[in-house]
Amino acid sequence: MRSKCREKEHYVDATPQIVQLWMHRVLINLNMYKKFITPHGFDDFEMAHALGVTDLTTQTDIDVVTIDFSGFDEVKCLREIERRYLELEARSHELEFSKELASNIQQISELVGLNSSESILLGFVVLLKTNSALQTACDLLGDLTTLVMSRYISMILNLPLDDVEEALRPQSILNRSGILRVDRSSGTSMARRLDLLSNEFADTVSSSVSNPIDLIKAMVAPSTPAHLSMADYEHISDQIAILKPYLAHALQVKRSGVNILIYGAPGTGKSQFVKAISENLSVELFNVSTEDEDGDSVHGHIRLSAYALAQHFFAKRKAIILFDEIEDVFSSDGRFNQSPAQS
């Protein structure tokens, strides 16, 4: 039998060994080899490349790899996968995230306060979102409940089950910080159940970043300069006389839980007022984006997650965070539309 499939980018020499170990654990420890190894060959060509088990007769042209599966030996392939798994497991204590990912995970952990298990889980989800071979391997597990998913993650990462269950709880630091969202609806795949702040966040955390603020720049960015000054708001001078010293003191003592609601008709200068008073107080102003890099609107619960994470990132800085268009987080009947991170 001959099988054709498009040539993939993730070959074994480009797949991190820690990812290979996790994939092998899915196949061997969770018995998913029964789905991956079929009488007619491997279930997924890219995954086989990532595992390094495609030492079959191939004929290659520019766009397509043609694989000859005649005489495919299922038992031999399983034994080879088991051999590779044992080799990786014997060196599991040596396997680490890439230098870039490890550095960024450490920065996030220090800013947010993650423990070692939460840090490893975050790295796993980042790789689950950015490495399609790992996602394919985890998709073999099928639709999962939250409880079953926790048990599988514990086995894949070799972490205590209690640690994983705690990290995935609604009130965990990963959820409350807005970094990780867990879909608690009816059963679905692991990759769909676990979501990060944004797709851009996963890509950024995987790359080289010198400033931790750059990790969330796609969702929370420095505000543009004000076009107006405090002199343009003399008509609300009484409110400013209360607000300005209150904000100045809160910033000086690093008080938490300081939220100011500014309301008014569209076009009356609400956003410009925030910019103006921030400049007057000589503090940084960051804005929670309403659009993604493609210009599409960002859902309210994602913006709320970004706002929650920004508070951790800027906790030690003199900064104000502007959450414009706050109606995004209210449902049509006026109720507060909580994000999974806040539920």
Side-chain angles (χ1 to χ4, degrees):
M1 174 182 178
R2 286 184 179 273
S3 172
K4 288 190 175 183
C5 47
R6 292 206 171 273
E7 199 168 7
K8 303 292 185 178
E9 295 179 357
H10 296 290
Y11 295 98
V12 63
D13 58 351
T15 304
Q17 289 196 323
I18 193 168
V19 171
Q20 292 181 40
L21 173 61
W22 293 339
M23 293 169 66
H24 278 86
R25 285 174 176 169
V26 170
L27 294 178
I28 303 302
N29 295 351
L30 299 178
N31 295 319
M32 288 301 109
Y33 70 87
K34 297 175 182 179
K35 291 184 178 181
F36 177 61
I37 303 174
T38 75
H40 307 295
F42 298 116
D43 179 68
D44 186 86
F45 180 70
E46 177 188 15
M47 185 174 162
H49 262 299
L51 292 167
V53 292
T54 53
D55 50 348
L56 302 171
T57 302
T58 62
Q59 294 177 345
T60 308
D61 57 31
I62 294 176
D63 297 318
V64 176
V65 175
T66 304
I67 311 170
D68 187 353
F69 282 121
S70 57
F72 184 79
D73 189 332
E74 296 175 69
V75 175
K76 180 180 178 181
C77 288
L78 176 57
R79 295 293 172 262
E80 176 62 16
I81 289 174
E82 288 176 332
R83 183 188 68 79
R84 289 174 179 269
Y85 163 65
L86 291 173
E87 287 183 352
L88 288 167
E89 198 66 78
R91 298 188 298 107
S92 60
H93 62 285
E94 303 173 1
L95 307 184
E96 300 176 338
F97 296 137
S98 68
K99 181 180 178 181
E100 294 80 9
L101 179 57
S103 175
N104 291 331
I105 293 292
Q106 181 179 355
Q107 291 187 79
I108 293 171
S109 297
E110 291 174 354
L111 285 168
V112 178
L114 303 180
N115 60 37
S116 59
S117 293
E118 290 165 337
S119 298
I120 293 171
L121 178 57
L122 175 57
F124 170 73
V125 179
V126 169
L127 288 167
L128 184 64
K129 295 297 182 180
T130 56
N131 188 292
S132 56
L134 176 59
Q135 185 172 134
T136 299
C138 292
D139 283 348
L140 292 174
L141 298 168
D143 291 345
L144 309 170
T145 65
T146 304
L147 288 176
V148 172
M149 180 179 70
S150 297
R151 181 164 61 86
Y152 284 169
I153 291 175
S154 170
M155 296 175 71
I156 294 169
L157 303 183
N158 195 27
L159 291 175
L161 178 58
D162 288 347
D163 285 9
V164 175
E165 289 180 335
E166 182 63 33
L168 296 179
R169 293 187 197 283
Q171 294 306 313
S172 72
I173 188 65
L174 280 171
N175 275 275
R176 287 189 290 106
S177 67
I179 299 175
L180 179 68
R181 299 191 303 276
V182 181
D183 183 353
R184 301 182 186 280
S185 57
S186 57
T188 187
S189 68
M190 186 180 295
R192 289 181 176 273
R193 239 176 216 294
L194 299 174
D195 211 356
L196 295 169
L197 177 63
S198 67
N199 292 331
E200 293 82 4
F201 178 76
D203 292 334
T204 304
V205 174
S206 303
S207 61
S208 179
V209 175
S210 57
N211 188 339
I213 294 175
D214 290 338
L215 294 170
I216 58 173
K217 65 181 180 180
M219 291 299 304
V220 182
S223 179
T224 55
H227 298 309
L228 301 176
S229 69
M230 296 303 292
D232 296 300
Y233 292 93
E234 291 184 356
H235 57 289
I236 55 171
S237 57
D238 290 345
Q239 292 93 327
I240 293 174
I242 298 172
L243 177 61
K244 184 178 174 182
Y246 173 70
L247 282 175
H249 179 70
L251 288 162
Q252 181 179 5
V253 300
K254 295 181 170 56
R255 177 178 294 168
S256 61
V258 177
N259 297 279
I260 309 298
L261 174 64
I262 300 175
Y263 62 93
T268 53
K270 299 185 297 298
S271 298
Q272 285 296 318
F273 173 70
V274 177
K275 294 180 181 183
I277 198 169
S278 297
E279 290 182 1
N280 188 266
L281 291 169
S282 300
V283 298
E284 298 176 284
L285 176 64
F286 294 90
N287 186 52
V288 179
S289 302
T290 57
E291 297 181 345
D292 61 21
E293 293 181 340
D294 297 324
D296 298 323
S297 297
V298 179
H299 196 283
H301 76 266
I302 297 178
R303 297 188 65 222
L304 203 57
S305 294
Y307 174 65
L309 183 57
Q311 293 183 69
H312 287 276
F313 272 49
F314 305 135
K316 297 181 180 180
R317 301 172 66 145
K318 283 193 172 183
I320 293 175
I321 304 171
L322 170 61
F323 195 103
D324 212 348
E325 310 296 341
I326 196 172
E327 61 271 17
D328 286 354
V329 298
F330 289 90
S331 60
S332 58
D333 60 2
R335 291 183 299 176
F336 186 63
N337 185 18
Q338 289 183 307
S339 73
Q342 309 297 317
S343 59

